[in-house]
């Protein structure tokens, strides 16, 4: 048996990755049991990535945005989960090689997402902090709080300046939201927690290589985000290409630098690689090239969805779709429906993305949103952002927990989760 999974009565679909796309595909496939569905992920939970920055800035507990994958599919028919890392695909033999053993498939759905892209800068990769997982969010929370503790006890002015400078690299939604959340900590929380410090000496920088923030948004929304961040005290530097970070100073453009111990890298992603997929099958950002049905080139029974795929046949997105959750969700559902259609002898339908809008929050009562061709800002956009994100969190308990955390923070101007929790050493 493959990984101690019973032999399938029907054909087996193996899904790699329990993110938005993998869960969307799995939910459709397990409704009636036409396939044996196997989900493989290195973690046993789904993480709600859009809110990782709130865990990192003490606004939310990690369990509020994490949900056990086995519970997601508790009512699914002929479903099996195995926690393992995926190493390679053997397309010729229909075998997936994992850290726990080999797994045979009839159909394979790759939804393994992306990893942080440091663009080949080894020093940046070694010293900067990424934000792609719950574990990385907790590591960032620990760093921010531990840095403040160090700043309190140091008598060296130069060292304190390094410690109190926080640099966010990347002006997309993650970078903008993270910079805004750090500014909230500086304004509302740290003056009360660290009365010995001159909090006005704390500086938050947002470095962005592009000429404007939120390039996927309209110029109007970009300008509003810039204005809101600057009003919150964030020092935004546009056209700033980071060249190096040695743990004590970040260097950008032609030798300009900022002394800092904490640099958060939100400047790009690269698709997770799997052995067995040739370089000819990869496009920009190491994304796997797929046809209009999300089938990998040269493989009729391998599908790739979400951030990991590059689909260029959609007339409105000739350069590929944006790497956002809605694309992954819609592709996961479409691939699953097409697999079910194949059982019924029906022809598959090509994927066409339905853009439901974009939004980013900048801080308390401030956000930008673009929905139905209209642009919103301020409190209304912020409230809309809260509602939409609450809607997509999995689990009633998690939604209530998030709602309580948000309500508490809003009413009390406080963030109660300022604890430094490190793994115990055996």
């Amino acid at each position: 048996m493959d990984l101690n999974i019973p032999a399938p009565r029907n054909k087996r679909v193996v899904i790699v990755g329990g993110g938005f796309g993998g869960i969307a595909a799995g939910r459709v496939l397990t409704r009636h049991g036409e396939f044996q569905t196997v989900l493989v992920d290195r973690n046993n939970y789904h993480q709600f990535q859009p809110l990782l920055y709130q865990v990192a800035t003490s606004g939310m507990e990690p369990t509020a945005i994490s949900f056990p994958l086995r519970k997601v599919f508790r009512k699914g028919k002929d479903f099996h989960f195995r926690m393992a890392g995926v190493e390679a695909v053997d397309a010729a033999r229909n075998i997936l090689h994992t850290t726990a053993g080999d797994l045979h498939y009839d159909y394979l759905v790759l939804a393994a997402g992306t990893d942080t892209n440091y663009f080949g800068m080894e020093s940046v990769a070694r010293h900067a902090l990424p934000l792609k997982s719950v574990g990385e969010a907790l590591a960032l929370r620990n760093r921010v709080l531990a840095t403040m503790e160090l700043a309190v006890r140091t008598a060296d002015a130069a060292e304190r300046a390094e410690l109190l400078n926080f640099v966010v690299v990347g002006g997309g939604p993650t970078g903008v939201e993270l910079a805004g959340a750090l500014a909230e900590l500086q304004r509302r929380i740290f003056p009360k927690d660290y009365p010995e410090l001159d909090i006005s000496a704390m500086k938050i920088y947002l470095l962005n290589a592009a000429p404007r923030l939120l390039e996927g948004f309209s110029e109007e929304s970009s300008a509003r985000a810039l204005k809101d961040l600057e009003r919150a005290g964030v020092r935004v530097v546009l056209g700033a290409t980071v060249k190096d970070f040695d743990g004590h100073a970040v260097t950008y453009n032609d030798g300009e630098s900022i002394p800092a111990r904490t640099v958060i890298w939100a400047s790009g992603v690269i698709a997770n690689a799997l052995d067995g997929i040739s370089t000819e099958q990869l496009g920009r950002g190491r994304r796997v090239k797929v046809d209009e049905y999300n089938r990998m080139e040269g493989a009729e029974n391998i599908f790739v969805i979400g951030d990991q795929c590059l689909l260029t046949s959609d007339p409105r997105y000739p350069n590929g779709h944006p790497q956002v959750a809605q694309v992954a969700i819609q592709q996961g559902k479409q691939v699953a429906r097409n697999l079910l259609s194949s059982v019924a002898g029906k022809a598959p339908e090509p994927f066409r993305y339905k853009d439901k809008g974009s939004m980013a929050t900048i801080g308390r009562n401030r956000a930008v949103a673009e929905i139905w061709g209209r642009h919103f800002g301020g409190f209304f956009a912020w409230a809309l952002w809260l509602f939409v994100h609450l809607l997509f969190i999995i689990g009633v308990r998690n939604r209530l927990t998030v709602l309580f955390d948000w309500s508490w923070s809003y009413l009390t101007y406080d963030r109660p989760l300022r604890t430094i929790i490190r793994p115990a050493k055996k």
Side-chain angles (χ1 to χ4, degrees), residues 226-261:
L226 175 62
K227 181 180 178 182
D228 283 345
L229 283 172
E230 290 179 335
R231 286 178 58 189
V234 178
R235 292 162 168 79
V236 181
V237 185
L238 301 175
T241 303
V242 172
K243 304 292 186 182
D244 191 28
F245 174 52
D246 62 3
H248 293 275
V250 57
T251 305
Y252 62 97
N253 291 352
D254 298 321
E256 297 176 81
S257 67
I258 300 169
R261 298 276 182 93

Side-chain angles (χ1 to χ4, degrees), residues 35-51:
F35 295 96
Q36 182 187 77
T37 304
V38 180
L39 175 62
V40 180
D41 195 293
R42 61 181 174 227
N43 299 310
N44 73 335
Y45 57 87
H46 165 78
Q47 57 186 12
F48 192 77
Q49 284 193 329
L51 293 180

Side-chain angles (χ1 to χ4, degrees), residues 307-385:
D307 295 352
Q308 202 177 10
C309 83
L310 182 64
L311 190 155
T312 58
S313 59
D314 192 333
R316 292 187 301 159
Y317 300 90
N319 297 317
H321 297 98
Q323 291 171 290
V324 296
Q326 270 302 317
V327 172
I329 292 169
Q330 292 179 32
Q331 287 182 338
K333 290 179 179 179
Q334 186 64 54
V335 164
R337 286 194 292 261
N338 283 340
L339 286 172
L340 293 172
S341 294
S342 70
V343 173
K346 299 178 182 178
E349 294 184 9
F351 177 72
R352 294 291 182 265
Y353 176 49
K354 299 177 180 65
D355 188 358
K356 296 186 177 181
S358 303
M359 54 184 65
T361 182
I362 297 133
R364 185 186 182 91
N365 297 334
R366 292 193 295 268
V368 291
E370 298 182 354
I371 300 176
W372 309 305
R374 299 183 62 187
H375 303 162
F376 305 94
F379 178 81
F380 178 75
W382 178 77
L384 187 63
W385 181 93

Side-chain angles (χ1 to χ4, degrees), residues 166-172 174-180 203-209 213-214 225-226 229 234-240 258 264 266:
F166 295 84
V167 180
V168 179
V169 181
T174 298
V176 166
E177 291 174 343
L178 185 55
K203 297 180 177 64
I204 300 163
Y205 295 86
L206 177 59
L207 306 183
N208 189 39
L213 301 174
L214 301 174
L226 175 62
L229 283 172
V234 178
R235 292 162 168 79
V236 181
V237 185
L238 301 175
I258 300 169
I264 305 141

Side-chain angles (χ1 to χ4, degrees), residues 76-138:
K77 297 183 182 299
D78 204 1
F79 170 81
H80 305 271
F81 170 75
R82 292 296 180 267
M83 190 171 75
V86 175
E87 296 176 327
V89 178
D90 186 343
R93 297 193 299 156
N94 290 349
I95 291 176
L96 185 72
H97 299 291
T98 80
T99 55
D102 293 344
L103 182 62
H104 175 270
Y105 63 83
D106 294 294
Y107 298 100
L108 179 63
V109 180
L110 298 177
T114 59
D115 201 358
T116 304
N117 188 0
Y118 297 102
F119 304 100
M121 293 182 285
E122 292 183 7
S123 182
V124 173
R126 188 161 54 251
H127 296 292
L129 294 167
L131 188 58
K132 290 287 292 176
S133 69
V134 169
E136 290 171 350
L138 284 172

